[in-house]
Amino acid sequence: MASIEFVNVTQSFDKNVIIKDLNLKIEDGKFTVLVGPSGCGKTTLLRMIAGLDPQTSGSVLINGKDVTRIPPGQRGVAMVFQNYAIYPTMSVRENIEFGLKNNKVPKDERKRLVESISETVGLAGYLDRKPSTLSGGQRQRIALARAMVKKPSVFLMDEPLSNLDAKLRVQMRIELIEMHKKLGTTFVYVTHDQVEAMSMADTIVLMNQGQIQQEAAPEVIYRQPNNLFAAQFIGVPPMNIAELGIDNVMFGFRPESGVLSTEPLATHFQVPGTIVTREMLGSETIYQVKSEEQAYMIKCTEDRFVVDQEVYLGVEAGNLFFFGADENRIDREDGRFSSYLEALGGRSKVLVMRGQANG
Amino acid sequence: MSFEWKYVRAPLSFLLKAIVLMIFIFPFLWMISTSLQTFQETLTFPPTWIPSIPQWVNFSTAMNAGPFLTYARNSIIVTFSVILIQVLVMIPAAYAFAKYRFAGKEILFSFVLLAFMIPGQVTFIPVYLMLADWGLINSLLPQILPFMANAFGIFLLRQYFMQIPQEIIESARLDNASEFKIIWKIMVPMSMPALATIALFSFVSHWNDYFWPLVMTDSAAVRPLTMGIAMLRETEGISNWHIIMAGNVVLVIPILIVYLFASKQIVKAFVYSGIK
Ligand SMILES: Nc1ncnc2c1ncn2[C@@H]1O[C@H](COP(=O)(O)OP(=O)(O)OP(=O)(O)O)[C@@H](O)[C@H]1O
Ligand SMILES: [Mg+2]
């Protein structure tokens, strides 16, 4: 078990600064998910914890201890790579055993550990096979077993599921969550898939261009995104964002907060528009509604509208977000919030009246 | 009338392959045939293919014409020492060039390429003078020391190592493996086909080498088989081709044996480099 802390960490490759003055504390025993777009520095962060690419400056602490000078093999961390990085010339057993051998674990103990771990991950019958004779999912399990058998205090995983097919991915996701519950160790999991992040994380660390945008529980990130980036990265479809027309302020709402109707609504925000696309997903339907200046994605549980239909789109005051010119979210407690809310309400009335006059 | 190309293609390709095969195999069969003929038969025209009575005695004649046990021992010691030392030097060198970043890496690697491109004929005089200076000419060392580093091998193995994903090495580091263990347990097993190919090329070229020992030796005690066989010609003024060829057969047999064992690995090496 271990906590991880980054203190003023900067990482650069060939003078390109990838991460600058980063501070982050990853709690002991939590399932922390690093998420962000491609190239934002997630892998870089993970590799610094493992000690594979030591940071340019600042320090990384594991359990409060600066590990800068400790080599990867002695940090008590295990890592699962995206391409599994299995030793291809070794059998499944030798793959799992390799770390134990290097740590001078006695032979009987090794045998016992390898057998119990292969039971856990479902590789029991395959110990003497070569990895090349196994499926993608089974190789993934070798990588997991190899990491687990060392009983690391920190588990690092870099997009471990991205090479699996959709069904297996969902299954492994559940298995990993259960594994975390059982082991109780610190998991740091990298993904660029926000669905994976939302479903697995105790804490999400959302990154963009080497900077942490928000660090919070999934529901907090979803309900109170720190800024425009967080609002648009988390959630499918992403939050609808439009200009308010005052002080360069933007307003936004989640697709499922939008209400559609053929009649004018009583909601705080509303706008007339036309349905341009309809995407039926089974239990829900996603409409794209085009108003005069903007298109909005709306998620409905009912499938009542057709393409080209004229509708009114409305959103309750409680479901509206405002973002300042600095792209940070304006809190409800903030003095400006109510005035922006009022402005949006006023604009809605004008738009609806104009819509009725035209129609 | 339409010309059906496909009926011609298969036989034609077979014929071409047969011709190429004959070109390669002809000298070989000629050697074996001659090694079993009498002196008279080697002079007849048209030449004899199948000796009337196989002259096995040619082999003992050849082997008794000089200290062939010494020659064979020298060949074996030189060739195997060269390969062993080359492999021991080549693996860590290729690993460093493929996977480490260090100051002067580019310059050092260009030296390797340079060494790979300069033929022995350019360097033999200074090397000879240097080894003579050290008083080593009357030993096997002049045939071993100059070949400790195999530039071609370092180059080829480096290319092979570069294809091995960095994450595999990093996994091993996280598994607390030393660099020595990474090389020995991961890099070497993964590049066995390349190593076998390099070792075989090296074996053939050193086992067959004539030029270098010709320059570097001045007594029978340190000469290899190739020189012993060449000297068969000089023993009686006229060329005893049947005896020389018997010697050549003896020289070639070990190569065939080694090739039989290594061929599987070698084919693998070429298949791998074809895919990746
Ligand atoms: N060894 C390196 N040398 C040079 N640049 C590097 C190196 N490693 C990473 N980078 C750069 O650092 C940036 C962040 O890379 P990183 O691999 O951390 O992204 P990521 O968030 O993991 O992205 P992805 O989701 O695509 O895996 C990229 O711009 C990348 O080009
Ligand atoms: Mg990555």
Side-chain angles (χ1 to χ4, degrees):
Chain A
M1 301 237 186
S3 65
I4 302 160
E5 205 175 339
F6 288 84
V7 184
N8 295 325
V9 168
T10 296
Q11 177 71 301
S12 40
F13 295 109
D14 314 320
K15 306 221 163 59
N16 290 329
V17 180
I18 304 297
I19 287 173
K20 196 167 186 313
D21 282 333
L22 180 122
N23 287 288
L24 172 66
K25 191 159 194 305
I26 293 171
E27 275 179 73
D28 180 15
K30 285 279 167 60
F31 199 124
T32 301
V33 175
L34 298 178
V35 66
S38 192
C40 71
K42 306 181 294 289
T43 301
T44 306
L45 212 62
L46 216 56
R47 294 171 61 86
M48 286 194 279
I49 302 174
L52 296 172
D53 293 322
Q55 66 277 12
T56 314
S57 69
S59 40
V60 177
L61 315 181
I62 295 181
N63 255 349
K65 194 164 152 259
D66 190 335
V67 293
T68 307
R69 307 204 157 275
I70 298 180
Q74 283 156 30
R75 291 186 175 195
V77 304
M79 184 157 171
V80 177
F81 291 88
Q82 182 172 353
N83 60 4
Y84 315 151
I86 287 165
Y87 313 127
T89 53
M90 297 187 197
S91 68
V92 174
R93 180 194 299 281
E94 289 167 327
N95 260 281
I96 301 175
E97 223 179 14
F98 190 63
L100 298 177
K101 268 189 181 162
N102 294 332
N103 289 334
K104 311 244 166 3
V105 176
K107 198 166 175 204
D108 303 337
E109 174 80 354
R110 266 188 346 238
K111 193 164 149 54
R112 199 180 56 71
L113 285 172
V114 170
E115 265 150 31
S116 96
I117 223 82
S118 59
E119 205 71 57
T120 314
V121 299
L123 281 175
Y126 300 94
L127 282 177
D128 295 312
R129 298 264 290 264
K130 277 277 159 68
S132 57
T133 66
L134 301 181
S135 71
Q138 288 167 326
R139 288 182 207 182
Q140 169 70 68
R141 285 159 204 267
I142 303 177
L144 285 175
R146 193 171 66 181
M148 280 164 73
V149 79
K150 292 188 287 184
K151 303 210 173 75
S153 48
V154 176
F155 242 107
L156 306 175
M157 292 187 232
D158 194 357
E159 308 198 26
L161 307 186
S162 59
N163 286 343
L164 303 179
D165 67 52
K167 208 167 150 196
L168 196 54
R169 196 151 61 214
V170 175
Q171 184 194 336
M172 287 301 296
R173 212 189 275 167
I174 295 165
E175 282 183 29
L176 283 177
I177 295 171
E178 279 169 1
M179 199 170 109
H180 173 249
K181 272 211 198 95
K182 205 161 80 188
L183 299 176
T185 44
T186 312
F187 274 44
V188 185
Y189 185 101
V190 164
T191 179
H192 60 245
D193 176 355
Q194 54 101 10
V195 178
E196 232 170 61
M198 292 294 283
S199 61
M200 297 173 91
D202 291 326
T203 308
I204 290 181
V205 176
L206 177 62
M207 293 180 63
N208 190 30
Q209 294 178 341
Q211 295 197 320
I212 293 174
Q213 304 295 316
Q214 189 162 10
E215 183 195 342
E219 57 276 9
V220 175
I221 287 208
Y222 193 74
R223 299 208 183 108
Q224 291 149 39
N226 268 359
N227 52 29
L228 266 181
F229 177 83
Q232 291 193 289
F233 192 85
I234 301 284
V236 245
M239 184 184 279
N240 292 298
I241 301 288
E243 277 173 27
L244 179 67
I246 311 165
D247 304 344
N248 286 328
V249 169
M250 314 284 268
F251 71 95
F253 59 91
R254 295 275 174 205
E256 64 274 18
S257 315
V259 187
L260 295 180
S261 162
T262 47
E263 299 299 317
L265 292 150
T267 52
H268 186 81
F269 167 73
Q270 76 175 298
V271 62
T274 316
I275 292 185
V276 284
T277 61
R278 166 179 165 273
E279 213 182 323
M280 168 63 196
L281 299 178
S283 64
E284 51 201 28
T285 308
I286 294 169
Y287 298 104
Q288 190 186 354
V289 178
K290 203 156 191 256
S291 76
E292 225 167 278
E293 64 273 306
Q294 178 95 24
Y296 302 95
M297 303 300 284
I298 309 298
K299 198 193 269 181
C300 297
T301 47
E302 291 167 9
D303 182 18
R304 291 188 296 142
F305 304 94
V306 294
V307 171
D308 288 338
Q309 194 171 357
E310 305 271 326
V311 291
Y312 289 92
L313 159 62
V315 183
E316 296 290 354
N319 290 331
L320 288 164
F321 296 88
F322 291 93
F323 300 90
D326 58 358
E327 303 202 342
N328 286 334
R329 184 171 57 86
I330 298 166
D331 198 77
R332 249 157 227 288
E333 312 299 319
D334 195 302
R336 296 170 293 168
F337 190 90
S338 55
S339 66
Y340 292 141
L341 194 63
E342 218 165 279
L344 187 60
R347 203 178 82 173
S348 298
K349 289 200 183 81
V350 174
L351 284 172
V352 171
M353 277 191 317
R354 207 157 28 151
Q356 280 169 328
N358 290 348
Chain B
M1 251 177 70
S2 71
F3 178 71
E4 290 285 347
W5 181 236
K6 66 179 173 192
Y7 293 123
V8 185
R9 195 140 90 193
L12 197 71
S13 112
F14 177 79
L15 195 73
L16 283 174
K17 281 176 199 155
I19 291 173
V20 170
L21 192 67
M22 281 316 295
I23 291 174
F24 278 101
I25 219 165
F26 176 81
F28 199 74
L29 295 177
W30 186 257
M31 171 183 79
I32 291 171
S33 164
T34 311
S35 74
L36 294 171
Q37 294 172 10
T38 62
F39 181 62
Q40 248 55 38
E41 273 175 313
T42 63
L43 301 178
T44 55
F45 192 86
T48 338
W49 263 112
I50 310 289
S52 46
I53 306 161
Q55 300 293 308
W56 300 107
V57 70
N58 290 348
F59 289 90
S60 58
T61 311
M63 294 301 102
N64 289 325
F68 268 85
L69 266 182
T70 307
Y71 295 150
R73 194 206 61 187
N74 291 342
S75 272
I76 291 170
I77 292 176
V78 166
T79 310
F80 284 92
S81 315
V82 164
I83 292 176
L84 186 74
I85 296 171
Q86 281 186 351
V87 166
L88 290 182
V89 171
M90 181 165 58
I91 292 171
Y95 183 60
F97 280 127
K99 296 293 182 189
Y100 282 178
R101 298 174 77 170
F102 54 89
K105 177 170 157 178
E106 271 71 33
I107 293 179
L108 286 173
F109 192 64
S110 61
F111 281 151
V112 172
L113 292 179
L114 206 64
F116 164 35
M117 287 182 281
I118 294 177
Q121 282 77 352
V122 175
T123 54
F124 77 93
I125 294 175
V127 170
Y128 177 83
L129 292 176
M130 187 169 79
L131 292 168
D133 251 11
W134 295 348
L136 296 176
I137 291 303
N138 254 322
S139 72
L140 294 174
L141 290 175
Q143 296 172 67
I144 299 172
L145 293 181
F147 302 106
M148 290 197 300
N150 176 349
F152 169 70
I154 292 173
F155 173 75
L156 199 75
L157 197 61
R158 166 185 173 266
Q159 299 306 103
Y160 214 82
F161 280 173
M162 276 171 31
Q163 290 178 1
I164 294 178
Q166 187 64 21
E167 285 91 344
I168 289 188
I169 296 169
E170 286 168 350
S171 276
R173 290 206 180 119
L174 282 164
D175 270 346
N176 207 10
S178 61
E179 292 303 287
F180 176 76
K181 216 163 195 173
I182 292 174
I183 292 179
W184 187 240
K185 294 279 183 184
I186 293 167
M187 303 305 276
V188 167
M190 284 184 76
S191 45
M192 231 28 216
L195 277 169
T197 310
I198 296 165
L200 185 85
F201 282 166
S202 190
F203 173 79
V204 172
S205 73
H206 288 281
W207 184 262
N208 287 341
D209 196 10
Y210 177 71
F211 171 78
W212 198 264
L214 182 68
V215 177
M216 297 292 164
T217 60
D218 58 6
S219 74
V222 292
R223 285 187 175 143
L225 271 178
T226 43
M227 290 195 67
I229 287 155
M231 279 186 286
L232 289 174
R233 191 168 37 192
E234 289 156 20
T235 45
E236 290 169 37
I238 38 170
S239 292
N240 292 314
W241 286 114
H242 56 310
I243 307 295
I244 297 170
M245 288 303 162
N248 275 333
V249 171
V250 172
L251 184 68
V252 167
I253 283 172
I255 295 179
L256 290 183
I257 293 173
V258 169
Y259 184 77
L260 276 183
F261 280 108
S263 63
K264 223 169 115 186
Q265 292 290 333
I266 291 164
V267 170
K268 242 196 223 163
F270 284 111
V271 169
Y272 275 168
S273 53
I275 291 171
K276 284 251 161 179

